[in-house]
Amino acid sequence: MHQHLTAVARDLGISAASASVHARTLRAAGLITTRRDGKQVRHLCTPLGARLLSERAP
């Protein structure tokens, strides 16, 4: 599922600017991909990102 950056920021309780910085870092690490949809940008967890999220420490 793709998420708009503003929705991610709202869900996390952070500013859109801060979410953008985090998204850039996650993208550079290969944990998310980014896709432009008209004027909006959507983010999707990569298989690696999903695997890391599913392997949380007990």
Side-chain angles (χ1 to χ4, degrees):
M1 177 169 117
H2 285 85
Q3 293 269 333
H4 291 281
L5 186 66
T6 53
V8 172
R10 184 181 54 245
D11 290 348
L12 295 174
I14 61 175
S15 70
S18 182
S20 180
V21 171
H22 287 289
R24 195 172 344 169
T25 302
L26 292 168
R27 192 171 38 256
L31 301 177
I32 65 169
T33 59
T34 301
R35 182 180 67 132
R36 184 161 290 283
D37 182 20
K39 292 183 178 182
Q40 305 228 351
V41 177
R42 296 178 181 241
H43 305 282
L44 177 66
C45 198
T46 64
L48 173 60
R51 191 168 56 247
L52 289 172
L53 286 172
S54 69
E55 296 176 359
R56 294 180 185 160

